[in-house]
Amino acid sequence: MSCGAFNEQDIEEAFTFLEEAGLPMFDARELYPCEDFLGEMVNHWKKRQLKLQSDVKQVRPFIATNYQARLFGKGLLDVRGGRRAVLKALEGSLEALQATRVDLYQITKPGPLYWGGEKAIFEAVAQAKRMRLLDNVGVVGYVNEDDLRRVKTTAKSFGIDIKSNSFELSLANPAAALVDGTVAACKNMNIVPFANRPLAGGLAAGTYTMMDPSGGRSRKPRYTFPDLEPLYPIHKALREHAGKYTEKLGKRVNTAQVSINWVRAQGVIPLVGVKTAAQAKDMVEAAKWDLEPEDVKELSQVALDTYKKRRKITEMLAKARR
């Protein structure tokens, strides 16, 4: 559920559309208002079920949220650290979600200033699981095999099995799949990989290009020409493949759907931010078809070449500043 500016009716329509389409997993973020709003949506869902016939089988929304393991939580007075901070945050999330438990509680990788580190966090998570405040546990931001194995071992020492890992993956940032082995490590450890920001804030959706830095919106362009110019090969490839699959499938396929399906082709579940029913419909349509293997390979090569070029530019600029 998108955490930025949104219209209440649009979000409710998006939630209902996804739930009725059979995609009832919703991922919230603890330190943003989307937890409160998601709680309202689930409440509306419960009320709708009461109006249906008792023999109509309905899939309950699967709710995921997270714990931000950082020095400050909601404000400067919310200093975080140790076991109690986790339990306090989880209680706050449950209150906002109007729920008695969370289906998937995700722990962000703690920074060096987090007192107690991973051990304190998973001690608290184990206690919360015994209290039946959560069902499954995942992590966020573990992007190399060594870190992933370490956190899995730490969690296991408290009786916790890590079920998922959420990290950035998109055509604009393909490292997790094509460079550092994160996706492969997840599969080897039976951890479900989630891609957060699979459209890279519009950079991998074809929304913002060097020809249209405003994304068709009237406000100030979100990205500058230097941000967008290196991504031209990706945007070009997205347009070409969107045209190809529009013709092949006999229905409109847009660049965002192509980008999402590249993530799916890596064996990763994309967690796409939606604000409207139209965006939700795009995601449902993307789930109805797959890229051909040769197209996946072609897009991967373009993404990898672009990634290396952008990284080289970044390193040159850093060297020049020194």
Side-chain angles (χ1 to χ4, degrees), residues 273-286:
V274 295
K275 296 182 182 181
T276 66
Q279 292 175 343
K281 185 177 180 180
D282 268 348
M283 297 308 101
V284 171
E285 289 300 314

Side-chain angles (χ1 to χ4, degrees), residues 147-216:
D147 278 356
L148 200 53
R149 287 194 181 281
R150 189 198 67 252
V151 72
K152 187 176 176 68
T153 299
T154 301
K156 191 174 182 179
S157 69
F158 291 97
I160 298 295
D161 185 21
I162 299 296
K163 296 292 183 67
S164 68
N165 181 26
S166 179
F167 46 84
E168 289 196 22
L169 175 65
S170 68
L171 280 168
N173 183 15
L178 305 181
V179 179
D180 59 32
T182 300
V183 173
C186 286
K187 294 176 182 178
N188 290 337
M189 291 182 238
N190 294 317
I191 293 174
V192 178
F194 291 135
N196 57 56
R197 299 187 80 246
L199 297 177
L203 289 176
T207 304
Y208 302 97
T209 67
M210 66 180 190
M211 303 302 294
D212 186 10
S214 69

Side-chain angles (χ1 to χ4, degrees), residues 14 18 38 61 77 83 90 108 199 205 224 275 286:
L18 290 168
L38 186 53
L77 297 180
R83 180 176 57 84
L90 177 55
T108 62
L199 297 177
T224 65
K275 296 182 182 181

Side-chain angles (χ1 to χ4, degrees), residues 131-143:
M131 296 167 65
R132 298 185 179 180
L133 300 179
L134 55 86
D135 288 340
N136 302 287
V137 180
V139 292
V140 178
Y142 285 80
V143 290

Side-chain angles (χ1 to χ4, degrees), residues 1-16 26-30 32-45 63 93 95-98 274-276:
M1 301 302 290
S2 201
C3 296
F6 53 76
N7 176 280
E8 184 173 339
Q9 183 176 349
D10 286 343
I11 290 288
E12 183 171 358
E13 289 176 354
F15 178 93
T16 303
F26 301 94
D27 183 27
R29 285 291 178 267
E30 175 210 357
Y32 295 90
C34 45
E35 274 192 341
D36 299 270
F37 208 85
L38 186 53
E40 290 296 325
M41 294 301 97
V42 175
N43 239 351
H44 292 175
W45 174 84
I63 306 302
S93 291
E95 182 179 356
L97 292 166
Q98 302 181 45
V274 295
K275 296 182 182 181
T276 66

